[in-house]
PDB file of all heavy atoms in Angstrom:
ATOM      1  N   ARG O   1      10.239  22.366   5.124  1.00  0.00           N
ATOM      2  CA  ARG O   1      10.757  21.088   4.707  1.00  0.00           C
ATOM      3  C   ARG O   1       9.577  19.974   4.760  1.00  0.00           C
ATOM      4  O   ARG O   1       8.602  20.177   5.438  1.00  0.00           O
ATOM      5  CB  ARG O   1      11.939  20.647   5.595  1.00  0.00           C
ATOM      6  CG  ARG O   1      11.616  20.466   7.055  1.00  0.00           C
ATOM      7  CD  ARG O   1      12.775  20.006   7.845  1.00  0.00           C
ATOM      8  NE  ARG O   1      12.493  19.855   9.228  1.00  0.00           N
ATOM      9  CZ  ARG O   1      13.399  19.399  10.113  1.00  0.00           C
ATOM     10  NH1 ARG O   1      14.641  19.139   9.791  1.00  0.00           N
ATOM     11  NH2 ARG O   1      13.042  19.251  11.398  1.00  0.00           N
ATOM     12  N   ALA O   2       9.896  18.931   4.076  1.00  0.00           N
ATOM     13  CA  ALA O   2       8.873  17.850   4.098  1.00  0.00           C
ATOM     14  C   ALA O   2       8.941  17.112   5.333  1.00  0.00           C
ATOM     15  O   ALA O   2       9.949  16.954   6.025  1.00  0.00           O
ATOM     16  CB  ALA O   2       9.173  16.856   2.899  1.00  0.00           C
ATOM     17  N   PRO O   3       7.756  16.535   5.795  1.00  0.00           N
ATOM     18  CA  PRO O   3       7.814  15.654   6.977  1.00  0.00           C
ATOM     19  C   PRO O   3       8.334  14.304   6.572  1.00  0.00           C
ATOM     20  O   PRO O   3       8.593  14.036   5.415  1.00  0.00           O
ATOM     21  CB  PRO O   3       6.330  15.510   7.304  1.00  0.00           C
ATOM     22  CG  PRO O   3       5.650  15.613   6.007  1.00  0.00           C
ATOM     23  CD  PRO O   3       6.460  16.641   5.212  1.00  0.00           C
ATOM     24  N   LEU O   4       8.560  13.469   7.543  1.00  0.00           N
ATOM     25  CA  LEU O   4       8.868  12.055   7.282  1.00  0.00           C
ATOM     26  C   LEU O   4       7.576  11.452   6.742  1.00  0.00           C
ATOM     27  O   LEU O   4       6.503  11.686   7.236  1.00  0.00           O
ATOM     28  CB  LEU O   4       9.387  11.318   8.492  1.00  0.00           C
ATOM     29  CG  LEU O   4      10.583  11.833   9.236  1.00  0.00           C
ATOM     30  CD1 LEU O   4      10.738  11.165  10.551  1.00  0.00           C
ATOM     31  CD2 LEU O   4      11.745  11.734   8.335  1.00  0.00           C
ATOM     32  N   TRP O   5       7.688  10.589   5.696  1.00  0.00           N
ATOM     33  CA  TRP O   5       6.519  10.031   5.042  1.00  0.00           C
ATOM     34  C   TRP O   5       6.352   8.550   5.463  1.00  0.00           C
ATOM     35  O   TRP O   5       7.364   7.815   5.484  1.00  0.00           O
ATOM     36  CB  TRP O   5       6.605  10.024   3.520  1.00  0.00           C
ATOM     37  CG  TRP O   5       6.770  11.446   2.971  1.00  0.00           C
ATOM     38  CD1 TRP O   5       7.838  11.934   2.272  1.00  0.00           C
ATOM     39  CD2 TRP O   5       5.824  12.480   2.893  1.00  0.00           C
ATOM     40  NE1 TRP O   5       7.655  13.161   1.847  1.00  0.00           N
ATOM     41  CE2 TRP O   5       6.381  13.538   2.192  1.00  0.00           C
ATOM     42  CE3 TRP O   5       4.528  12.576   3.421  1.00  0.00           C
ATOM     43  CZ2 TRP O   5       5.767  14.725   1.985  1.00  0.00           C
ATOM     44  CZ3 TRP O   5       3.821  13.776   3.136  1.00  0.00           C
ATOM     45  CH2 TRP O   5       4.405  14.863   2.476  1.00  0.00           C
ATOM     46  N   GLY O   6       5.083   8.146   5.723  1.00  0.00           N
ATOM     47  CA  GLY O   6       4.817   6.756   6.039  1.00  0.00           C
ATOM     48  C   GLY O   6       3.645   6.380   5.191  1.00  0.00           C
ATOM     49  O   GLY O   6       2.568   6.900   5.293  1.00  0.00           O
ATOM     50  N   SER O   7       3.859   5.429   4.222  1.00  0.00           N
ATOM     51  CA  SER O   7       2.767   4.865   3.462  1.00  0.00           C
ATOM     52  C   SER O   7       2.032   3.765   4.100  1.00  0.00           C
ATOM     53  O   SER O   7       2.605   2.808   4.690  1.00  0.00           O
ATOM     54  CB  SER O   7       3.364   4.357   2.079  1.00  0.00           C
ATOM     55  OG  SER O   7       2.384   3.478   1.443  1.00  0.00           O
ATOM     56  N   VAL O   8       0.708   3.836   4.099  1.00  0.00           N
ATOM     57  CA  VAL O   8      -0.110   2.748   4.637  1.00  0.00           C
ATOM     58  C   VAL O   8      -0.987   2.134   3.589  1.00  0.00           C
ATOM     59  O   VAL O   8      -2.080   1.565   3.891  1.00  0.00           O
ATOM     60  CB  VAL O   8      -0.944   3.242   5.874  1.00  0.00           C
ATOM     61  CG1 VAL O   8      -0.063   3.616   7.008  1.00  0.00           C
ATOM     62  CG2 VAL O   8      -1.876   4.450   5.503  1.00  0.00           C
ATOM     63  N   ASP O   9      -0.571   2.287   2.356  1.00  0.00           N
ATOM     64  CA  ASP O   9      -1.377   1.746   1.174  1.00  0.00           C
ATOM     65  C   ASP O   9      -1.626   0.247   1.334  1.00  0.00           C
ATOM     66  O   ASP O   9      -2.644  -0.260   0.988  1.00  0.00           O
ATOM     67  CB  ASP O   9      -0.644   2.047  -0.108  1.00  0.00           C
ATOM     68  CG  ASP O   9      -0.654   3.510  -0.479  1.00  0.00           C
ATOM     69  OD1 ASP O   9       0.264   4.224  -0.072  1.00  0.00           O
ATOM     70  OD2 ASP O   9      -1.563   3.896  -1.194  1.00  0.00           O
ATOM     71  N   LEU O  10      -0.552  -0.437   1.849  1.00  0.00           N
ATOM     72  CA  LEU O  10      -0.683  -1.920   1.837  1.00  0.00           C
ATOM     73  C   LEU O  10      -1.370  -2.458   3.079  1.00  0.00           C
ATOM     74  O   LEU O  10      -1.681  -3.686   3.234  1.00  0.00           O
ATOM     75  CB  LEU O  10       0.705  -2.532   1.768  1.00  0.00           C
ATOM     76  CG  LEU O  10       1.443  -2.355   0.433  1.00  0.00           C
ATOM     77  CD1 LEU O  10       2.911  -2.578   0.550  1.00  0.00           C
ATOM     78  CD2 LEU O  10       0.819  -3.273  -0.567  1.00  0.00           C
ATOM     79  N   ARG O  11      -1.782  -1.575   3.980  1.00  0.00           N
ATOM     80  CA  ARG O  11      -2.576  -2.023   5.174  1.00  0.00           C
ATOM     81  C   ARG O  11      -3.885  -1.247   5.250  1.00  0.00           C
ATOM     82  O   ARG O  11      -4.976  -1.752   4.908  1.00  0.00           O
ATOM     83  CB  ARG O  11      -1.725  -1.857   6.457  1.00  0.00           C
ATOM     84  CG  ARG O  11      -2.331  -2.637   7.620  1.00  0.00           C
ATOM     85  CD  ARG O  11      -3.412  -1.925   8.365  1.00  0.00           C
ATOM     86  NE  ARG O  11      -3.145  -0.638   8.811  1.00  0.00           N
ATOM     87  CZ  ARG O  11      -3.917   0.225   9.312  1.00  0.00           C
ATOM     88  NH1 ARG O  11      -5.242  -0.048   9.367  1.00  0.00           N
ATOM     89  NH2 ARG O  11      -3.583   1.494   9.698  1.00  0.00           N
ATOM     90  N   ASP O  12      -3.860  -0.038   5.617  1.00  0.00           N
ATOM     91  CA  ASP O  12      -5.081   0.781   5.747  1.00  0.00           C
ATOM     92  C   ASP O  12      -5.753   0.954   4.383  1.00  0.00           C
ATOM     93  O   ASP O  12      -6.997   0.728   4.262  1.00  0.00           O
ATOM     94  CB  ASP O  12      -4.679   2.182   6.310  1.00  0.00           C
ATOM     95  CG  ASP O  12      -5.931   2.842   6.972  1.00  0.00           C
ATOM     96  OD1 ASP O  12      -7.085   2.493   6.537  1.00  0.00           O
ATOM     97  OD2 ASP O  12      -5.768   3.711   7.827  1.00  0.00           O
ATOM     98  N   GLY O  13      -5.003   1.225   3.347  1.00  0.00           N
ATOM     99  CA  GLY O  13      -5.596   1.333   2.036  1.00  0.00           C
ATOM    100  C   GLY O  13      -6.067   0.067   1.552  1.00  0.00           C
ATOM    101  O   GLY O  13      -7.237  -0.021   0.972  1.00  0.00           O
ATOM    102  N   ASN O  14      -5.367  -1.012   1.739  1.00  0.00           N
ATOM    103  CA  ASN O  14      -5.755  -2.367   1.267  1.00  0.00           C
ATOM    104  C   ASN O  14      -7.071  -2.906   1.902  1.00  0.00           C
ATOM    105  O   ASN O  14      -7.898  -3.464   1.253  1.00  0.00           O
ATOM    106  CB  ASN O  14      -4.612  -3.376   1.453  1.00  0.00           C
ATOM    107  CG  ASN O  14      -4.939  -4.699   0.850  1.00  0.00           C
ATOM    108  OD1 ASN O  14      -5.199  -4.829  -0.321  1.00  0.00           O
ATOM    109  ND2 ASN O  14      -4.902  -5.746   1.624  1.00  0.00           N
ATOM    110  N   GLN O  15      -7.182  -2.649   3.202  1.00  0.00           N
ATOM    111  CA  GLN O  15      -8.385  -3.228   3.923  1.00  0.00           C
ATOM    112  C   GLN O  15      -9.611  -2.502   3.545  1.00  0.00           C
ATOM    113  O   GLN O  15     -10.734  -2.990   3.781  1.00  0.00           O
ATOM    114  CB  GLN O  15      -8.104  -3.089   5.447  1.00  0.00           C
ATOM    115  CG  GLN O  15      -8.279  -1.690   6.029  1.00  0.00           C
ATOM    116  CD  GLN O  15      -7.989  -1.676   7.464  1.00  0.00           C
ATOM    117  OE1 GLN O  15      -7.142  -2.333   7.989  1.00  0.00           O
ATOM    118  NE2 GLN O  15      -8.689  -0.827   8.193  1.00  0.00           N
ATOM    119  N   ALA O  16      -9.512  -1.323   2.867  1.00  0.00           N
ATOM    120  CA  ALA O  16     -10.661  -0.611   2.386  1.00  0.00           C
ATOM    121  C   ALA O  16     -11.114  -0.923   1.008  1.00  0.00           C
ATOM    122  O   ALA O  16     -12.101  -0.283   0.545  1.00  0.00           O
ATOM    123  CB  ALA O  16     -10.398   0.917   2.511  1.00  0.00           C
ATOM    124  N   LEU O  17     -10.426  -1.818   0.316  1.00  0.00           N
ATOM    125  CA  LEU O  17     -10.733  -2.161  -0.984  1.00  0.00           C
ATOM    126  C   LEU O  17     -11.840  -3.196  -1.095  1.00  0.00           C
ATOM    127  O   LEU O  17     -11.909  -4.077  -0.284  1.00  0.00           O
ATOM    128  CB  LEU O  17      -9.508  -2.692  -1.738  1.00  0.00           C
ATOM    129  CG  LEU O  17      -8.322  -1.748  -1.855  1.00  0.00           C
ATOM    130  CD1 LEU O  17      -7.183  -2.458  -2.538  1.00  0.00           C
ATOM    131  CD2 LEU O  17      -8.689  -0.515  -2.699  1.00  0.00           C
ATOM    132  N   LEU O  18     -12.676  -3.025  -2.146  1.00  0.00           N
ATOM    133  CA  LEU O  18     -13.781  -4.035  -2.364  1.00  0.00           C
ATOM    134  C   LEU O  18     -13.049  -5.406  -2.562  1.00  0.00           C
ATOM    135  O   LEU O  18     -13.628  -6.397  -2.051  1.00  0.00           O
ATOM    136  CB  LEU O  18     -14.593  -3.592  -3.481  1.00  0.00           C
ATOM    137  CG  LEU O  18     -15.768  -4.526  -3.838  1.00  0.00           C
ATOM    138  CD1 LEU O  18     -16.810  -4.469  -2.711  1.00  0.00           C
ATOM    139  CD2 LEU O  18     -16.468  -4.087  -5.150  1.00  0.00           C
ATOM    140  N   GLU O  19     -12.004  -5.412  -3.270  1.00  0.00           N
ATOM    141  CA  GLU O  19     -11.259  -6.688  -3.553  1.00  0.00           C
ATOM    142  C   GLU O  19      -9.830  -6.439  -3.085  1.00  0.00           C
ATOM    143  O   GLU O  19      -9.025  -5.873  -3.888  1.00  0.00           O
ATOM    144  CB  GLU O  19     -11.287  -7.012  -5.047  1.00  0.00           C
ATOM    145  CG  GLU O  19     -10.511  -8.282  -5.340  1.00  0.00           C
ATOM    146  CD  GLU O  19     -10.432  -8.529  -6.850  1.00  0.00           C
ATOM    147  OE1 GLU O  19     -11.221  -7.977  -7.559  1.00  0.00           O
ATOM    148  OE2 GLU O  19      -9.618  -9.375  -7.230  1.00  0.00           O
ATOM    149  N   PRO O  20      -9.528  -6.799  -1.885  1.00  0.00           N
ATOM    150  CA  PRO O  20      -8.117  -6.527  -1.349  1.00  0.00           C
ATOM    151  C   PRO O  20      -7.047  -7.228  -2.260  1.00  0.00           C
ATOM    152  O   PRO O  20      -7.341  -8.166  -3.006  1.00  0.00           O
ATOM    153  CB  PRO O  20      -8.154  -7.233   0.046  1.00  0.00           C
ATOM    154  CG  PRO O  20      -9.592  -7.230   0.486  1.00  0.00           C
ATOM    155  CD  PRO O  20     -10.326  -7.369  -0.869  1.00  0.00           C
ATOM    156  N   MET O  21      -5.899  -6.597  -2.316  1.00  0.00           N
ATOM    157  CA  MET O  21      -4.835  -6.975  -3.199  1.00  0.00           C
ATOM    158  C   MET O  21      -4.332  -8.365  -2.863  1.00  0.00           C
ATOM    159  O   MET O  21      -4.237  -8.713  -1.648  1.00  0.00           O
ATOM    160  CB  MET O  21      -3.650  -6.036  -3.145  1.00  0.00           C
ATOM    161  CG  MET O  21      -3.939  -4.647  -3.732  1.00  0.00           C
ATOM    162  SD  MET O  21      -2.488  -3.569  -3.574  1.00  0.00           S
ATOM    163  CE  MET O  21      -2.912  -2.740  -2.051  1.00  0.00           C
ATOM    164  N   ASP O  22      -3.981  -9.196  -3.906  1.00  0.00           N
ATOM    165  CA  ASP O  22      -3.354 -10.396  -3.614  1.00  0.00           C
ATOM    166  C   ASP O  22      -1.845 -10.155  -3.537  1.00  0.00           C
ATOM    167  O   ASP O  22      -1.394  -9.016  -3.663  1.00  0.00           O
ATOM    168  CB  ASP O  22      -3.629 -11.405  -4.754  1.00  0.00           C
ATOM    169  CG  ASP O  22      -3.303 -10.903  -6.194  1.00  0.00           C
ATOM    170  OD1 ASP O  22      -2.506  -9.939  -6.221  1.00  0.00           O
ATOM    171  OD2 ASP O  22      -3.841 -11.482  -7.148  1.00  0.00           O
ATOM    172  N   VAL O  23      -1.036 -11.214  -3.376  1.00  0.00           N
ATOM    173  CA  VAL O  23       0.392 -10.978  -3.186  1.00  0.00           C
ATOM    174  C   VAL O  23       0.992 -10.302  -4.355  1.00  0.00           C
ATOM    175  O   VAL O  23       1.856  -9.430  -4.171  1.00  0.00           O
ATOM    176  CB  VAL O  23       1.063 -12.380  -2.898  1.00  0.00           C
ATOM    177  CG1 VAL O  23       2.608 -12.211  -2.922  1.00  0.00           C
ATOM    178  CG2 VAL O  23       0.625 -12.902  -1.523  1.00  0.00           C
ATOM    179  N   ALA O  24       0.622 -10.666  -5.558  1.00  0.00           N
ATOM    180  CA  ALA O  24       1.268 -10.095  -6.723  1.00  0.00           C
ATOM    181  C   ALA O  24       0.994  -8.541  -6.878  1.00  0.00           C
ATOM    182  O   ALA O  24       1.879  -7.824  -7.122  1.00  0.00           O
ATOM    183  CB  ALA O  24       0.678 -10.759  -8.040  1.00  0.00           C
ATOM    184  N   ARG O  25      -0.264  -8.204  -6.593  1.00  0.00           N
ATOM    185  CA  ARG O  25      -0.557  -6.792  -6.644  1.00  0.00           C
ATOM    186  C   ARG O  25       0.062  -6.032  -5.490  1.00  0.00           C
ATOM    187  O   ARG O  25       0.536  -4.895  -5.630  1.00  0.00           O
ATOM    188  CB  ARG O  25      -2.142  -6.553  -6.612  1.00  0.00           C
ATOM    189  CG  ARG O  25      -2.730  -6.831  -7.927  1.00  0.00           C
ATOM    190  CD  ARG O  25      -4.219  -7.155  -7.822  1.00  0.00           C
ATOM    191  NE  ARG O  25      -4.981  -6.086  -7.128  1.00  0.00           N
ATOM    192  CZ  ARG O  25      -6.230  -6.266  -6.575  1.00  0.00           C
ATOM    193  NH1 ARG O  25      -6.735  -7.492  -6.647  1.00  0.00           N
ATOM    194  NH2 ARG O  25      -6.855  -5.254  -6.061  1.00  0.00           N
ATOM    195  N   LYS O  26       0.160  -6.670  -4.361  1.00  0.00           N
ATOM    196  CA  LYS O  26       0.868  -6.017  -3.173  1.00  0.00           C
ATOM    197  C   LYS O  26       2.325  -5.843  -3.572  1.00  0.00           C
ATOM    198  O   LYS O  26       2.866  -4.738  -3.174  1.00  0.00           O
ATOM    199  CB  LYS O  26       0.730  -6.914  -1.957  1.00  0.00           C
ATOM    200  CG  LYS O  26      -0.610  -6.850  -1.287  1.00  0.00           C
ATOM    201  CD  LYS O  26      -0.573  -7.698  -0.001  1.00  0.00           C
ATOM    202  CE  LYS O  26      -1.960  -7.703   0.703  1.00  0.00           C
ATOM    203  NZ  LYS O  26      -1.912  -8.515   1.932  1.00  0.00           N
ATOM    204  N   ARG O  27       2.919  -6.770  -4.174  1.00  0.00           N
ATOM    205  CA  ARG O  27       4.327  -6.572  -4.534  1.00  0.00           C
ATOM    206  C   ARG O  27       4.583  -5.457  -5.447  1.00  0.00           C
ATOM    207  O   ARG O  27       5.506  -4.695  -5.396  1.00  0.00           O
ATOM    208  CB  ARG O  27       4.854  -7.914  -5.096  1.00  0.00           C
ATOM    209  CG  ARG O  27       6.338  -7.872  -5.486  1.00  0.00           C
ATOM    210  CD  ARG O  27       7.180  -7.490  -4.238  1.00  0.00           C
ATOM    211  NE  ARG O  27       8.501  -7.098  -4.576  1.00  0.00           N
ATOM    212  CZ  ARG O  27       9.594  -7.970  -4.613  1.00  0.00           C
ATOM    213  NH1 ARG O  27       9.343  -9.250  -4.287  1.00  0.00           N
ATOM    214  NH2 ARG O  27      10.772  -7.593  -4.894  1.00  0.00           N
ATOM    215  N   VAL O  28       3.673  -5.334  -6.497  1.00  0.00           N
ATOM    216  CA  VAL O  28       3.803  -4.178  -7.431  1.00  0.00           C
ATOM    217  C   VAL O  28       3.595  -2.881  -6.677  1.00  0.00           C
ATOM    218  O   VAL O  28       4.329  -1.953  -6.952  1.00  0.00           O
ATOM    219  CB  VAL O  28       2.609  -4.312  -8.508  1.00  0.00           C
ATOM    220  CG1 VAL O  28       2.583  -3.039  -9.414  1.00  0.00           C
ATOM    221  CG2 VAL O  28       2.843  -5.588  -9.412  1.00  0.00           C
ATOM    222  N   MET O  29       2.701  -2.801  -5.805  1.00  0.00           N
ATOM    223  CA  MET O  29       2.492  -1.549  -4.926  1.00  0.00           C
ATOM    224  C   MET O  29       3.783  -1.263  -4.137  1.00  0.00           C
ATOM    225  O   MET O  29       4.190  -0.145  -4.050  1.00  0.00           O
ATOM    226  CB  MET O  29       1.266  -1.734  -4.140  1.00  0.00           C
ATOM    227  CG  MET O  29       0.949  -0.493  -3.198  1.00  0.00           C
ATOM    228  SD  MET O  29       0.540   1.013  -4.072  1.00  0.00           S
ATOM    229  CE  MET O  29      -1.267   0.709  -4.311  1.00  0.00           C
ATOM    230  N   PHE O  30       4.212  -2.260  -3.484  1.00  0.00           N
ATOM    231  CA  PHE O  30       5.429  -2.115  -2.651  1.00  0.00           C
ATOM    232  C   PHE O  30       6.635  -1.618  -3.455  1.00  0.00           C
ATOM    233  O   PHE O  30       7.303  -0.669  -3.078  1.00  0.00           O
ATOM    234  CB  PHE O  30       5.821  -3.480  -1.958  1.00  0.00           C
ATOM    235  CG  PHE O  30       7.028  -3.404  -1.131  1.00  0.00           C
ATOM    236  CD1 PHE O  30       6.931  -2.924   0.155  1.00  0.00           C
ATOM    237  CD2 PHE O  30       8.286  -3.765  -1.579  1.00  0.00           C
ATOM    238  CE1 PHE O  30       8.148  -2.814   0.969  1.00  0.00           C
ATOM    239  CE2 PHE O  30       9.423  -3.722  -0.793  1.00  0.00           C
ATOM    240  CZ  PHE O  30       9.349  -3.224   0.500  1.00  0.00           C
ATOM    241  N   ASP O  31       6.883  -2.199  -4.574  1.00  0.00           N
ATOM    242  CA  ASP O  31       7.943  -1.795  -5.436  1.00  0.00           C
ATOM    243  C   ASP O  31       7.732  -0.331  -5.979  1.00  0.00           C
ATOM    244  O   ASP O  31       8.667   0.411  -6.096  1.00  0.00           O
ATOM    245  CB  ASP O  31       8.119  -2.713  -6.666  1.00  0.00           C
ATOM    246  CG  ASP O  31       8.560  -4.081  -6.238  1.00  0.00           C
ATOM    247  OD1 ASP O  31       9.147  -4.268  -5.177  1.00  0.00           O
ATOM    248  OD2 ASP O  31       8.445  -5.049  -7.055  1.00  0.00           O
ATOM    249  N   LEU O  32       6.542   0.025  -6.249  1.00  0.00           N
ATOM    250  CA  LEU O  32       6.188   1.398  -6.655  1.00  0.00           C
ATOM    251  C   LEU O  32       6.536   2.359  -5.478  1.00  0.00           C
ATOM    252  O   LEU O  32       7.195   3.382  -5.738  1.00  0.00           O
ATOM    253  CB  LEU O  32       4.764   1.565  -7.012  1.00  0.00           C
ATOM    254  CG  LEU O  32       4.267   2.993  -7.216  1.00  0.00           C
ATOM    255  CD1 LEU O  32       4.879   3.549  -8.566  1.00  0.00           C
ATOM    256  CD2 LEU O  32       2.755   3.039  -7.334  1.00  0.00           C
TER     257      LEU O  32
END
């Protein structure tokens, strides 16, 4: 069975970006 999933795209992933996401891009990612 699958494990419980935890996404860290908006924190760990975001802090590693050359240009961190603004609120609009974060909201798109959250909704995805």
Side-chain angles (χ1 to χ4, degrees):
R1 63 179 180 177
L4 302 172
W5 301 112
S7 161
V8 294
D9 290 87
L10 290 164
R11 198 278 305 170
D12 201 335
N14 185 56
Q15 75 183 35
L17 297 177
L18 183 63
E19 180 186 344
M21 289 179 268
D22 56 18
V23 170
R25 282 159 57 199
K26 284 182 179 179
R27 181 56 192 270
V28 171
M29 177 69 82
F30 178 81
D31 291 343
L32 173 68

